[in-house]
Amino acid sequence: MEAIVEKVTQDVYEALTHDLSNIKLEQERMSENIKGITKEMEKLRENLDDLEQYGRRESLRFFGVPEKQSEDTDSVIRDVVQQHLNILLNEKNIARSHRITPKPGNSSHGRGPKPIIVRFTTYNIRRNVYEAKSKLKGSNIFIHEDLTPFKRDLINKARKMSSVKRVWSSDGRIIALRSAPDGHEKKVLVRNVSDLALLE
């Protein structure tokens, strides 16, 4: 009788061990599948974000421009650009402009004048204005590209990293200047959250 019990116990143990082994293999396969799906989703989100960013390629955000009652923001921007950047814009160069209220939690929320988002009629006009932004130094007015929320989040995360000296955007691409332990500096293109690891 003991031999039968031992035999049954051994068979059950082997069956359970086999089942556990199969479950472990299945979990590993599922884990690999999830990793693959996650990568595909990240790539898809990146592609969708690039499309959204392309739709913003004619737009810029102006910060620090004083507010006036009943203002015409098109006229305000033309004045700022002519006065500070020495670029003459006419009424046809701006497709649309308006003040935006930063969301709660945003560093500029509730402080100073509301930013102005400006959509120019052509990319070339927008590029000329953006490339001249260094002339604004000392004026308390700043110009930034109109980045998607995803890209704004990336740029803010990169700025908080101790190894990053400077972060900027160029045509919607985020570039970080990373300082290496050997004293050298390296430019890193930050396209997604995974790329932030390259800055550590």
Side-chain angles (χ1 to χ4, degrees):
M1 185 70 179
E2 287 182 12
I4 294 172
V5 172
E6 189 177 331
K7 178 72 168 68
V8 170
T9 304
Q10 182 66 28
D11 289 348
V12 169
Y13 176 76
E14 288 177 1
L16 286 172
T17 303
H18 183 264
D19 287 348
L20 285 171
S21 180
N22 285 340
I23 289 170
K24 188 177 179 184
L25 285 171
E26 187 60 28
Q27 283 180 329
E28 287 173 359
R29 277 196 293 269
M30 287 176 67
S31 180
E32 285 302 312
N33 286 342
I34 289 169
K35 282 180 186 175
I37 290 168
T38 302
K39 276 188 178 179
E40 285 178 23
M41 285 179 63
E42 189 173 89
K43 187 65 181 170
L44 182 60
R45 184 176 64 189
E46 192 179 318
N47 290 340
L48 287 170
D49 190 74
D50 286 344
L51 283 174
E52 184 185 343
Q53 188 62 55
Y54 186 80
R56 297 169 180 240
R57 68 192 302 261
E58 284 92 14
S59 300
L60 292 173
R61 293 182 181 220
F62 287 71
F63 296 83
V65 178
E67 288 186 63
K68 299 173 185 172
Q69 278 197 338
S70 305
E71 66 185 359
D72 172 11
T73 51
D74 285 11
S75 177
V76 169
I77 290 301
R78 287 197 307 271
D79 289 346
V80 166
V81 168
Q82 183 175 355
Q83 180 183 347
H84 295 282
L85 307 182
N86 297 322
I87 296 174
L88 186 62
L89 297 178
N90 61 48
E91 292 178 4
K92 294 180 180 178
N93 294 143
I94 296 176
R96 189 165 180 253
S97 71
H98 60 91
R99 296 267 180 189
I100 52 175
T101 303
K103 292 181 180 179
N106 187 297
S107 59
S108 56
H109 178 71
R111 294 187 315 161
K114 294 187 196 79
I116 301 175
I117 187 165
V118 183
R119 185 175 183 85
F120 296 94
T121 50
T122 70
Y123 170 77
N124 285 338
I125 295 169
R126 176 262 192 209
R127 185 190 61 206
N128 290 341
V129 170
Y130 190 63
E131 287 180 350
K133 68 186 175 113
S134 61
K135 295 177 182 176
L136 291 168
K137 194 170 183 180
S139 70
N140 293 322
I141 296 174
F142 305 92
I143 301 176
H144 296 291
E145 291 190 315
D146 182 27
L147 299 175
T148 63
F150 177 67
K151 283 186 167 52
R152 285 200 301 272
D153 184 53
L154 277 181
I155 210 166
N156 287 332
K157 284 178 178 172
R159 281 185 176 134
K160 291 175 182 173
M161 300 182 77
S162 58
S163 61
V164 174
K165 293 190 75 175
R166 195 163 69 93
V167 186
W168 67 95
S169 66
S170 175
D171 283 332
R173 293 173 303 147
I174 298 168
I175 301 144
L177 188 63
R178 177 187 177 275
S179 55
D182 61 4
H184 288 88
E185 295 175 347
K186 182 181 179 184
K187 288 181 184 177
V188 178
L189 182 63
V190 181
R191 295 160 296 193
N192 50 50
V193 175
S194 301
D195 287 342
L196 291 172
L198 301 174
L199 301 175
E200 292 176 346

mmCIF file with all atom_site columns, all heavy atoms in Angstrom, residues 177-198:
data_model
loop_
_atom_site.group_PDB
_atom_site.id
_atom_site.type_symbol
_atom_site.label_atom_id
_atom_site.label_alt_id
_atom_site.label_comp_id
_atom_site.label_asym_id
_atom_site.label_entity_id
_atom_site.label_seq_id
_atom_site.pdbx_PDB_ins_code
_atom_site.Cartn_x
_atom_site.Cartn_y
_atom_site.Cartn_z
_atom_site.occupancy
_atom_site.B_iso_or_equiv
_atom_site.pdbx_formal_charge
_atom_site.auth_seq_id
_atom_site.auth_comp_id
_atom_site.auth_asym_id
_atom_site.auth_atom_id
_atom_site.pdbx_PDB_model_num
ATOM 1   N N   . LEU A 1 177 ? 21.605 68.686 -24.468 1.00 0.00 ? 177 LEU A N   1
ATOM 2   C CA  . LEU A 1 177 ? 23.059 68.717 -24.369 1.00 0.00 ? 177 LEU A CA  1
ATOM 3   C C   . LEU A 1 177 ? 23.442 68.056 -23.057 1.00 0.00 ? 177 LEU A C   1
ATOM 4   O O   . LEU A 1 177 ? 23.172 68.584 -21.984 1.00 0.00 ? 177 LEU A O   1
ATOM 5   C CB  . LEU A 1 177 ? 23.574 70.152 -24.427 1.00 0.00 ? 177 LEU A CB  1
ATOM 6   C CG  . LEU A 1 177 ? 25.090 70.323 -24.525 1.00 0.00 ? 177 LEU A CG  1
ATOM 7   C CD1 . LEU A 1 177 ? 25.628 69.719 -25.825 1.00 0.00 ? 177 LEU A CD1 1
ATOM 8   C CD2 . LEU A 1 177 ? 25.469 71.791 -24.438 1.00 0.00 ? 177 LEU A CD2 1
ATOM 9   N N   . ARG A 1 178 ? 24.052 66.876 -23.172 1.00 0.00 ? 178 ARG A N   1
ATOM 10  C CA  . ARG A 1 178 ? 24.378 66.067 -22.004 1.00 0.00 ? 178 ARG A CA  1
ATOM 11  C C   . ARG A 1 178 ? 25.856 66.195 -21.673 1.00 0.00 ? 178 ARG A C   1
ATOM 12  O O   . ARG A 1 178 ? 26.705 66.115 -22.560 1.00 0.00 ? 178 ARG A O   1
ATOM 13  C CB  . ARG A 1 178 ? 24.043 64.603 -22.304 1.00 0.00 ? 178 ARG A CB  1
ATOM 14  C CG  . ARG A 1 178 ? 24.391 63.629 -21.207 1.00 0.00 ? 178 ARG A CG  1
ATOM 15  C CD  . ARG A 1 178 ? 24.157 62.206 -21.712 1.00 0.00 ? 178 ARG A CD  1
ATOM 16  N NE  . ARG A 1 178 ? 24.544 61.217 -20.726 1.00 0.00 ? 178 ARG A NE  1
ATOM 17  C CZ  . ARG A 1 178 ? 25.781 60.760 -20.569 1.00 0.00 ? 178 ARG A CZ  1
ATOM 18  N NH1 . ARG A 1 178 ? 26.757 61.215 -21.342 1.00 0.00 ? 178 ARG A NH1 1
ATOM 19  N NH2 . ARG A 1 178 ? 26.062 59.866 -19.651 1.00 0.00 ? 178 ARG A NH2 1
ATOM 20  N N   . SER A 1 179 ? 26.156 66.398 -20.402 1.00 0.00 ? 179 SER A N   1
ATOM 21  C CA  . SER A 1 179 ? 27.557 66.466 -19.997 1.00 0.00 ? 179 SER A CA  1
ATOM 22  C C   . SER A 1 179 ? 27.986 65.084 -19.505 1.00 0.00 ? 179 SER A C   1
ATOM 23  O O   . SER A 1 179 ? 27.307 64.480 -18.671 1.00 0.00 ? 179 SER A O   1
ATOM 24  C CB  . SER A 1 179 ? 27.763 67.505 -18.904 1.00 0.00 ? 179 SER A CB  1
ATOM 25  O OG  . SER A 1 179 ? 26.900 67.251 -17.811 1.00 0.00 ? 179 SER A OG  1
ATOM 26  N N   . ALA A 1 180 ? 29.093 64.576 -20.043 1.00 0.00 ? 180 ALA A N   1
ATOM 27  C CA  . ALA A 1 180 ? 29.608 63.256 -19.685 1.00 0.00 ? 180 ALA A CA  1
ATOM 28  C C   . ALA A 1 180 ? 30.592 63.384 -18.519 1.00 0.00 ? 180 ALA A C   1
ATOM 29  O O   . ALA A 1 180 ? 31.130 64.463 -18.261 1.00 0.00 ? 180 ALA A O   1
ATOM 30  C CB  . ALA A 1 180 ? 30.291 62.627 -20.892 1.00 0.00 ? 180 ALA A CB  1
ATOM 31  N N   . PRO A 1 181 ? 30.845 62.279 -17.800 1.00 0.00 ? 181 PRO A N   1
ATOM 32  C CA  . PRO A 1 181 ? 31.794 62.317 -16.680 1.00 0.00 ? 181 PRO A CA  1
ATOM 33  C C   . PRO A 1 181 ? 33.201 62.766 -17.082 1.00 0.00 ? 181 PRO A C   1
ATOM 34  O O   . PRO A 1 181 ? 33.925 63.340 -16.272 1.00 0.00 ? 181 PRO A O   1
ATOM 35  C CB  . PRO A 1 181 ? 31.814 60.859 -16.198 1.00 0.00 ? 181 PRO A CB  1
ATOM 36  C CG  . PRO A 1 181 ? 30.513 60.292 -16.638 1.00 0.00 ? 181 PRO A CG  1
ATOM 37  C CD  . PRO A 1 181 ? 30.184 60.975 -17.922 1.00 0.00 ? 181 PRO A CD  1
ATOM 38  N N   . ASP A 1 182 ? 33.581 62.531 -18.353 1.00 0.00 ? 182 ASP A N   1
ATOM 39  C CA  . ASP A 1 182 ? 34.921 62.924 -18.792 1.00 0.00 ? 182 ASP A CA  1
ATOM 40  C C   . ASP A 1 182 ? 35.007 64.405 -19.172 1.00 0.00 ? 182 ASP A C   1
ATOM 41  O O   . ASP A 1 182 ? 36.037 64.881 -19.647 1.00 0.00 ? 182 ASP A O   1
ATOM 42  C CB  . ASP A 1 182 ? 35.382 62.053 -19.963 1.00 0.00 ? 182 ASP A CB  1
ATOM 43  C CG  . ASP A 1 182 ? 34.486 62.178 -21.191 1.00 0.00 ? 182 ASP A CG  1
ATOM 44  O OD1 . ASP A 1 182 ? 33.542 62.993 -21.164 1.00 0.00 ? 182 ASP A OD1 1
ATOM 45  O OD2 . ASP A 1 182 ? 34.728 61.459 -22.178 1.00 0.00 ? 182 ASP A OD2 1
ATOM 46  N N   . GLY A 1 183 ? 33.894 65.136 -18.984 1.00 0.00 ? 183 GLY A N   1
ATOM 47  C CA  . GLY A 1 183 ? 33.908 66.566 -19.270 1.00 0.00 ? 183 GLY A CA  1
ATOM 48  C C   . GLY A 1 183 ? 33.417 66.922 -20.658 1.00 0.00 ? 183 GLY A C   1
ATOM 49  O O   . GLY A 1 183 ? 33.177 68.089 -20.947 1.00 0.00 ? 183 GLY A O   1
ATOM 50  N N   . HIS A 1 184 ? 33.274 65.939 -21.524 1.00 0.00 ? 184 HIS A N   1
ATOM 51  C CA  . HIS A 1 184 ? 32.786 66.202 -22.878 1.00 0.00 ? 184 HIS A CA  1
ATOM 52  C C   . HIS A 1 184 ? 31.267 66.394 -22.866 1.00 0.00 ? 184 HIS A C   1
ATOM 53  O O   . HIS A 1 184 ? 30.576 65.929 -21.968 1.00 0.00 ? 184 HIS A O   1
ATOM 54  C CB  . HIS A 1 184 ? 33.163 65.059 -23.816 1.00 0.00 ? 184 HIS A CB  1
ATOM 55  C CG  . HIS A 1 184 ? 34.624 65.024 -24.142 1.00 0.00 ? 184 HIS A CG  1
ATOM 56  N ND1 . HIS A 1 184 ? 35.536 64.350 -23.346 1.00 0.00 ? 184 HIS A ND1 1
ATOM 57  C CD2 . HIS A 1 184 ? 35.336 65.582 -25.153 1.00 0.00 ? 184 HIS A CD2 1
ATOM 58  C CE1 . HIS A 1 184 ? 36.743 64.487 -23.867 1.00 0.00 ? 184 HIS A CE1 1
ATOM 59  N NE2 . HIS A 1 184 ? 36.651 65.236 -24.960 1.00 0.00 ? 184 HIS A NE2 1
ATOM 60  N N   . GLU A 1 185 ? 30.777 67.067 -23.892 1.00 0.00 ? 185 GLU A N   1
ATOM 61  C CA  . GLU A 1 185 ? 29.340 67.285 -24.033 1.00 0.00 ? 185 GLU A CA  1
ATOM 62  C C   . GLU A 1 185 ? 28.851 66.575 -25.291 1.00 0.00 ? 185 GLU A C   1
ATOM 63  O O   . GLU A 1 185 ? 29.564 66.508 -26.291 1.00 0.00 ? 185 GLU A O   1
ATOM 64  C CB  . GLU A 1 185 ? 29.025 68.774 -24.112 1.00 0.00 ? 185 GLU A CB  1
ATOM 65  C CG  . GLU A 1 185 ? 29.367 69.514 -22.834 1.00 0.00 ? 185 GLU A CG  1
ATOM 66  C CD  . GLU A 1 185 ? 29.157 71.014 -22.963 1.00 0.00 ? 185 GLU A CD  1
ATOM 67  O OE1 . GLU A 1 185 ? 28.989 71.488 -24.110 1.00 0.00 ? 185 GLU A OE1 1
ATOM 68  O OE2 . GLU A 1 185 ? 29.178 71.709 -21.945 1.00 0.00 ? 185 GLU A OE2 1
ATOM 69  N N   . LYS A 1 186 ? 27.639 66.063 -25.212 1.00 0.00 ? 186 LYS A N   1
ATOM 70  C CA  . LYS A 1 186 ? 27.095 65.317 -26.344 1.00 0.00 ? 186 LYS A CA  1
ATOM 71  C C   . LYS A 1 186 ? 25.648 65.713 -26.562 1.00 0.00 ? 186 LYS A C   1
ATOM 72  O O   . LYS A 1 186 ? 24.872 65.813 -25.619 1.00 0.00 ? 186 LYS A O   1
ATOM 73  C CB  . LYS A 1 186 ? 27.192 63.817 -26.065 1.00 0.00 ? 186 LYS A CB  1
ATOM 74  C CG  . LYS A 1 186 ? 26.703 62.953 -27.207 1.00 0.00 ? 186 LYS A CG  1
ATOM 75  C CD  . LYS A 1 186 ? 26.805 61.476 -26.850 1.00 0.00 ? 186 LYS A CD  1
ATOM 76  C CE  . LYS A 1 186 ? 26.292 60.609 -27.987 1.00 0.00 ? 186 LYS A CE  1
ATOM 77  N NZ  . LYS A 1 186 ? 26.293 59.177 -27.637 1.00 0.00 ? 186 LYS A NZ  1
ATOM 78  N N   . LYS A 1 187 ? 25.274 65.943 -27.832 1.00 0.00 ? 187 LYS A N   1
ATOM 79  C CA  . LYS A 1 187 ? 23.884 66.236 -28.166 1.00 0.00 ? 187 LYS A CA  1
ATOM 80  C C   . LYS A 1 187 ? 23.133 64.914 -28.304 1.00 0.00 ? 187 LYS A C   1
ATOM 81  O O   . LYS A 1 187 ? 23.600 63.993 -28.962 1.00 0.00 ? 187 LYS A O   1
ATOM 82  C CB  . LYS A 1 187 ? 23.798 67.013 -29.481 1.00 0.00 ? 187 LYS A CB  1
ATOM 83  C CG  . LYS A 1 187 ? 24.263 68.444 -29.380 1.00 0.00 ? 187 LYS A CG  1
ATOM 84  C CD  . LYS A 1 187 ? 24.116 69.144 -30.718 1.00 0.00 ? 187 LYS A CD  1
ATOM 85  C CE  . LYS A 1 187 ? 24.667 70.564 -30.650 1.00 0.00 ? 187 LYS A CE  1
ATOM 86  N NZ  . LYS A 1 187 ? 24.596 71.226 -31.967 1.00 0.00 ? 187 LYS A NZ  1
ATOM 87  N N   . VAL A 1 188 ? 21.958 64.845 -27.670 1.00 0.00 ? 188 VAL A N   1
ATOM 88  C CA  . VAL A 1 188 ? 21.136 63.637 -27.728 1.00 0.00 ? 188 VAL A CA  1
ATOM 89  C C   . VAL A 1 188 ? 19.741 64.010 -28.217 1.00 0.00 ? 188 VAL A C   1
ATOM 90  O O   . VAL A 1 188 ? 19.113 64.934 -27.683 1.00 0.00 ? 188 VAL A O   1
ATOM 91  C CB  . VAL A 1 188 ? 21.032 62.964 -26.335 1.00 0.00 ? 188 VAL A CB  1
ATOM 92  C CG1 . VAL A 1 188 ? 20.126 61.736 -26.405 1.00 0.00 ? 188 VAL A CG1 1
ATOM 93  C CG2 . VAL A 1 188 ? 22.411 62.584 -25.817 1.00 0.00 ? 188 VAL A CG2 1
ATOM 94  N N   . LEU A 1 189 ? 19.271 63.317 -29.241 1.00 0.00 ? 189 LEU A N   1
ATOM 95  C CA  . LEU A 1 189 ? 17.922 63.530 -29.760 1.00 0.00 ? 189 LEU A CA  1
ATOM 96  C C   . LEU A 1 189 ? 16.950 62.738 -28.890 1.00 0.00 ? 189 LEU A C   1
ATOM 97  O O   . LEU A 1 189 ? 17.096 61.528 -28.722 1.00 0.00 ? 189 LEU A O   1
ATOM 98  C CB  . LEU A 1 189 ? 17.839 63.065 -31.214 1.00 0.00 ? 189 LEU A CB  1
ATOM 99  C CG  . LEU A 1 189 ? 16.509 63.268 -31.929 1.00 0.00 ? 189 LEU A CG  1
ATOM 100 C CD1 . LEU A 1 189 ? 16.160 64.744 -32.047 1.00 0.00 ? 189 LEU A CD1 1
ATOM 101 C CD2 . LEU A 1 189 ? 16.548 62.624 -33.317 1.00 0.00 ? 189 LEU A CD2 1
ATOM 102 N N   . VAL A 1 190 ? 15.987 63.429 -28.307 1.00 0.00 ? 190 VAL A N   1
ATOM 103 C CA  . VAL A 1 190 ? 15.020 62.784 -27.409 1.00 0.00 ? 190 VAL A CA  1
ATOM 104 C C   . VAL A 1 190 ? 13.687 62.667 -28.143 1.00 0.00 ? 190 VAL A C   1
ATOM 105 O O   . VAL A 1 190 ? 12.975 63.650 -28.330 1.00 0.00 ? 190 VAL A O   1
ATOM 106 C CB  . VAL A 1 190 ? 14.849 63.597 -26.103 1.00 0.00 ? 190 VAL A CB  1
ATOM 107 C CG1 . VAL A 1 190 ? 13.868 62.901 -25.167 1.00 0.00 ? 190 VAL A CG1 1
ATOM 108 C CG2 . VAL A 1 190 ? 16.189 63.816 -25.427 1.00 0.00 ? 190 VAL A CG2 1
ATOM 109 N N   . ARG A 1 191 ? 13.371 61.437 -28.562 1.00 0.00 ? 191 ARG A N   1
ATOM 110 C CA  . ARG A 1 191 ? 12.130 61.205 -29.314 1.00 0.00 ? 191 ARG A CA  1
ATOM 111 C C   . ARG A 1 191 ? 11.015 60.632 -28.465 1.00 0.00 ? 191 ARG A C   1
ATOM 112 O O   . ARG A 1 191 ? 9.846  60.766 -28.790 1.00 0.00 ? 191 ARG A O   1
ATOM 113 C CB  . ARG A 1 191 ? 12.393 60.257 -30.484 1.00 0.00 ? 191 ARG A CB  1
ATOM 114 C CG  . ARG A 1 191 ? 13.330 60.825 -31.546 1.00 0.00 ? 191 ARG A CG  1
ATOM 115 C CD  . ARG A 1 191 ? 13.925 59.727 -32.367 1.00 0.00 ? 191 ARG A CD  1
ATOM 116 N NE  . ARG A 1 191 ? 14.754 58.887 -31.493 1.00 0.00 ? 191 ARG A NE  1
ATOM 117 C CZ  . ARG A 1 191 ? 15.607 57.986 -31.932 1.00 0.00 ? 191 ARG A CZ  1
ATOM 118 N NH1 . ARG A 1 191 ? 15.749 57.765 -33.207 1.00 0.00 ? 191 ARG A NH1 1
ATOM 119 N NH2 . ARG A 1 191 ? 16.319 57.274 -31.082 1.00 0.00 ? 191 ARG A NH2 1
ATOM 120 N N   . ASN A 1 192 ? 11.384 59.930 -27.395 1.00 0.00 ? 192 ASN A N   1
ATOM 121 C CA  . ASN A 1 192 ? 10.379 59.279 -26.555 1.00 0.00 ? 192 ASN A CA  1
ATOM 122 C C   . ASN A 1 192 ? 10.927 59.129 -25.137 1.00 0.00 ? 192 ASN A C   1
ATOM 123 O O   . ASN A 1 192 ? 12.071 59.500 -24.857 1.00 0.00 ? 192 ASN A O   1
ATOM 124 C CB  . ASN A 1 192 ? 9.989  57.921 -27.149 1.00 0.00 ? 192 ASN A CB  1
ATOM 125 C CG  . ASN A 1 192 ? 11.209 57.084 -27.486 1.00 0.00 ? 192 ASN A CG  1
ATOM 126 O OD1 . ASN A 1 192 ? 12.102 56.918 -26.669 1.00 0.00 ? 192 ASN A OD1 1
ATOM 127 N ND2 . ASN A 1 192 ? 11.274 56.569 -28.706 1.00 0.00 ? 192 ASN A ND2 1
ATOM 128 N N   . VAL A 1 193 ? 10.114 58.552 -24.261 1.00 0.00 ? 193 VAL A N   1
ATOM 129 C CA  . VAL A 1 193 ? 10.493 58.392 -22.858 1.00 0.00 ? 193 VAL A CA  1
ATOM 130 C C   . VAL A 1 193 ? 11.725 57.506 -22.723 1.00 0.00 ? 193 VAL A C   1
ATOM 131 O O   . VAL A 1 193 ? 12.594 57.738 -21.886 1.00 0.00 ? 193 VAL A O   1
ATOM 132 C CB  . VAL A 1 193 ? 9.311  57.815 -22.042 1.00 0.00 ? 193 VAL A CB  1
ATOM 133 C CG1 . VAL A 1 193 ? 9.711  57.532 -20.615 1.00 0.00 ? 193 VAL A CG1 1
ATOM 134 C CG2 . VAL A 1 193 ? 8.132  58.782 -22.074 1.00 0.00 ? 193 VAL A CG2 1
ATOM 135 N N   . SER A 1 194 ? 11.827 56.488 -23.587 1.00 0.00 ? 194 SER A N   1
ATOM 136 C CA  . SER A 1 194 ? 12.970 55.572 -23.532 1.00 0.00 ? 194 SER A CA  1
ATOM 137 C C   . SER A 1 194 ? 14.292 56.302 -23.765 1.00 0.00 ? 194 SER A C   1
ATOM 138 O O   . SER A 1 194 ? 15.324 55.954 -23.186 1.00 0.00 ? 194 SER A O   1
ATOM 139 C CB  . SER A 1 194 ? 12.823 54.458 -24.567 1.00 0.00 ? 194 SER A CB  1
ATOM 140 O OG  . SER A 1 194 ? 11.650 53.729 -24.338 1.00 0.00 ? 194 SER A OG  1
ATOM 141 N N   . ASP A 1 195 ? 14.258 57.329 -24.604 1.00 0.00 ? 195 ASP A N   1
ATOM 142 C CA  . ASP A 1 195 ? 15.472 58.082 -24.914 1.00 0.00 ? 195 ASP A CA  1
ATOM 143 C C   . ASP A 1 195 ? 15.998 58.873 -23.715 1.00 0.00 ? 195 ASP A C   1
ATOM 144 O O   . ASP A 1 195 ? 17.161 59.253 -23.676 1.00 0.00 ? 195 ASP A O   1
ATOM 145 C CB  . ASP A 1 195 ? 15.246 59.038 -26.093 1.00 0.00 ? 195 ASP A CB  1
ATOM 146 C CG  . ASP A 1 195 ? 15.155 58.314 -27.425 1.00 0.00 ? 195 ASP A CG  1
ATOM 147 O OD1 . ASP A 1 195 ? 15.589 57.146 -27.497 1.00 0.00 ? 195 ASP A OD1 1
ATOM 148 O OD2 . ASP A 1 195 ? 14.628 58.904 -28.390 1.00 0.00 ? 195 ASP A OD2 1
ATOM 149 N N   . LEU A 1 196 ? 15.134 59.134 -22.744 1.00 0.00 ? 196 LEU A N   1
ATOM 150 C CA  . LEU A 1 196 ? 15.572 59.865 -21.551 1.00 0.00 ? 196 LEU A CA  1
ATOM 151 C C   . LEU A 1 196 ? 16.655 59.085 -20.805 1.00 0.00 ? 196 LEU A C   1
ATOM 152 O O   . LEU A 1 196 ? 17.513 59.678 -20.143 1.00 0.00 ? 196 LEU A O   1
ATOM 153 C CB  . LEU A 1 196 ? 14.398 60.140 -20.611 1.00 0.00 ? 196 LEU A CB  1
ATOM 154 C CG  . LEU A 1 196 ? 13.354 61.148 -21.107 1.00 0.00 ? 196 LEU A CG  1
ATOM 155 C CD1 . LEU A 1 196 ? 12.156 61.184 -20.169 1.00 0.00 ? 196 LEU A CD1 1
ATOM 156 C CD2 . LEU A 1 196 ? 13.950 62.528 -21.275 1.00 0.00 ? 196 LEU A CD2 1
ATOM 157 N N   . ALA A 1 197 ? 16.616 57.761 -20.932 1.00 0.00 ? 197 ALA A N   1
ATOM 158 C CA  . ALA A 1 197 ? 17.638 56.922 -20.271 1.00 0.00 ? 197 ALA A CA  1
ATOM 159 C C   . ALA A 1 197 ? 19.027 57.200 -20.830 1.00 0.00 ? 197 ALA A C   1
ATOM 160 O O   . ALA A 1 197 ? 20.024 57.018 -20.144 1.00 0.00 ? 197 ALA A O   1
ATOM 161 C CB  . ALA A 1 197 ? 17.282 55.444 -20.438 1.00 0.00 ? 197 ALA A CB  1
ATOM 162 N N   . LEU A 1 198 ? 19.087 57.674 -22.086 1.00 0.00 ? 198 LEU A N   1
ATOM 163 C CA  . LEU A 1 198 ? 20.386 57.985 -22.705 1.00 0.00 ? 198 LEU A CA  1
ATOM 164 C C   . LEU A 1 198 ? 21.026 59.221 -22.079 1.00 0.00 ? 198 LEU A C   1
ATOM 165 O O   . LEU A 1 198 ? 22.213 59.471 -22.283 1.00 0.00 ? 198 LEU A O   1
ATOM 166 C CB  . LEU A 1 198 ? 20.203 58.211 -24.213 1.00 0.00 ? 198 LEU A CB  1
ATOM 167 C CG  . LEU A 1 198 ? 19.606 57.058 -25.014 1.00 0.00 ? 198 LEU A CG  1
ATOM 168 C CD1 . LEU A 1 198 ? 19.348 57.493 -26.454 1.00 0.00 ? 198 LEU A CD1 1
ATOM 169 C CD2 . LEU A 1 198 ? 20.536 55.843 -24.989 1.00 0.00 ? 198 LEU A CD2 1
#
